Every structure is written in C-alpha cells, then in structure tokens.
Amino acid sequence: MKNKTSFLSALRAAFPHTLPVLAGFGVLGATYGILMSVSGFPFWATTLISLTVFAGSMQFVAVNLLLGAFAPLEAFLLTLMINARHIFYGISMLDRYKGTGLKKLYLIFGMCDETFSINCTAAVPEGIDKGKFYLATTLLNQSYWVIASAVGGIFGSLISFETRGIEFVMTAMFFVILIEQLKSKKMAVCAAVGIICSAACLLIFGAGVFILPSMAAILLLLTLLRPILEKEGPHND
C-alpha cells in the first residue's frame, strides 16, 4: 500500500536531525553572504547563487572567480576537483533513493556533505515515507544555507567583524554528526574505515590530492565489507 504520509510530518521527523546543520550553516552561510557583500555583490546575487549552485566550499572559491578574468575551463576544472567526492556520494545513495520518483531530481541537486551524512545514517521513523523524509532533509538544509547567506548579504555592508577561523564551525558540525553515527555498531565500523583510509591516503598522497583516493578506498572497502555489515542489522530505510 502506498505511503500517504504528509510532507509536513516528514519535515517534523527530519528537523531534529538537521539541527547541527542549522547551527553550522547559520554561521557559514552568513559569512559567505558578508564576503559577497564586501566584494561588491548585491544580496540578491548571493541568494540566487545559493539557490542555484548550493555548493558551500565552491561558492567561497567562486567569489574570486567572479571577480577575476573570464576563465570557464579553469572554473570547470576547479569545481570538478573540489566537488568530485559527490560522485561517490551518489553511488552510495543509489539504493536509498530508489523508488523516490521525481523527488530524486531535487535529491540529486541538493546533495551536500551534511545532507549525505544525515540521509545515509538517519533512521526513517516508522510511518514516514522515506522519499519525503530524504526530501525534507535536503530542503531544510538548503533553506538554512540560502536564508543565512541572504541575511549575511543584506547586513554585510553594515557590520564588520573578524571571520578568521570561523570555518571551524563546519568541523564541529561534522564531529557532532560523527558522534551520532558512532551510536550504531555498524556505523562505527564505517566511520573507522573512513578515518583509516583518509589518514593513510593523506600520508601517501599529501593534503592536496588525498580526497579522491581516500573516497575510492572507502568505497572499495565498504563494498567488500557490505555482506558482513548487513548481518549487523537492516538498513535504516
């Protein structure tokens, strides 16, 4: 029987999982808006970019690209390098996003590190349609970023403060998400695989290019370990 769960119910179920993202995006989104404002861009341009691009790290990098000479190839390659990890995110979410219908189009567009972490690990409450839950999570997270960047853009010319080191908020947010994952034995194994592979690739390849090799190693190891991990319990679908 088709699940008749309302989208409002899915929003209520997803909201608590997105609170760490709200805290992180609230600060970083506002910081991005302020940066755009002091760089000469109107708040509506900041809001439009957050709505259509929605790639936090790349949006910060794009400020200099927009101010520099027109170099589409350089921008394309830089974007690909920064966001190539999303290829692995997409592959790992194939099963979870299966059967979500047209919602999948927005789920693909709205995929970011934080949304991936939540949708990959959160247990969808009983009675809540999983497609609507994933959609709610994605929509809430993007809304946080868009609203925060718009507010930062509006008030950017009126306030001035030291933003150096503010990026630690994102690190803290991921740490909170990691703690939530470690409550599950299966996710603790996955987290251990991620940490070990990332540390090894960092030592082997260096800080500049370790992300892609580490993601490939993580994907390979988790694929090999999948039969064992699935015995620990069902997926949180």
Side-chain angles (χ1 to χ4, degrees):
M1 184 175 180
K2 189 175 181 179
N3 197 315
K4 299 296 184 180
T5 306
S6 69
F7 184 63
L8 181 58
S9 297
L11 278 172
R12 290 171 177 167
F15 177 69
H17 296 280
T18 66
L19 287 176
V21 183
L22 172 59
F25 277 11
V27 175
L28 287 177
T31 302
Y32 169 69
I34 293 171
L35 177 62
M36 286 285 285
S37 178
V38 299
S39 298
F41 295 96
F43 85 93
W44 61 263
T46 303
T47 306
L48 182 62
I49 291 175
S50 292
L51 277 170
T52 57
V53 178
F54 188 45
S57 300
M58 189 59 215
Q59 285 183 230
F60 278 95
V61 174
V63 176
N64 290 327
L65 293 178
L66 292 171
L67 293 174
F70 180 65
L73 180 59
E74 177 185 346
F76 170 77
L77 293 175
L78 186 60
T79 303
L80 181 62
M81 180 179 67
I82 292 175
N83 291 319
R85 65 190 184 280
H86 288 261
I87 296 174
F88 300 96
Y89 292 171
I91 292 174
S92 64
M93 296 301 285
L94 288 176
D95 288 339
R96 288 185 175 271
Y97 285 174
K98 185 182 299 182
T100 55
L102 292 176
K103 292 188 286 291
K104 185 185 294 185
L105 297 177
Y106 178 67
L107 294 175
I108 294 171
F109 164 78
M111 177 77 73
C112 64
D113 298 342
E114 298 75 17
T115 299
F116 168 77
S117 296
I118 295 173
N119 284 346
C120 187
T121 61
V124 179
E126 185 177 353
I128 300 294
D129 177 71
K130 71 171 186 177
K132 292 178 181 178
F133 180 87
Y134 297 149
L135 178 64
T137 300
T138 306
L139 182 61
L140 284 170
N141 286 345
Q142 185 180 15
S143 297
Y144 301 151
W145 180 262
V146 172
I147 293 172
S149 60
V151 171
I154 292 173
F155 294 102
S157 60
L158 304 177
I159 58 178
S160 177
F161 58 90
E162 178 60 62
T163 61
R164 184 172 53 189
I166 199 70
E167 64 275 4
F168 181 74
V169 172
M170 188 69 77
T171 303
M173 179 180 61
F174 276 115
F175 187 71
V176 171
I177 294 175
L178 175 62
I179 292 175
E180 288 296 317
Q181 293 179 358
L182 293 178
K183 293 180 180 179
S184 164
K185 181 179 179 181
K186 180 168 65 174
M187 293 313 303
V189 173
C190 295
V193 169
I195 293 172
I196 293 171
C197 289
S198 298
C201 289
L202 178 62
L203 292 174
I204 296 172
F205 298 101
V209 295
F210 83 99
I211 294 180
L212 286 181
S214 63
M215 292 298 291
I218 292 169
L219 179 63
L220 176 61
L221 282 178
L222 290 182
T223 300
L224 295 174
L225 291 173
R226 182 174 180 177
I228 299 175
L229 294 174
E230 287 181 340
K231 292 179 181 179
E232 299 291 336
H235 290 291
N236 293 326
D237 290 337

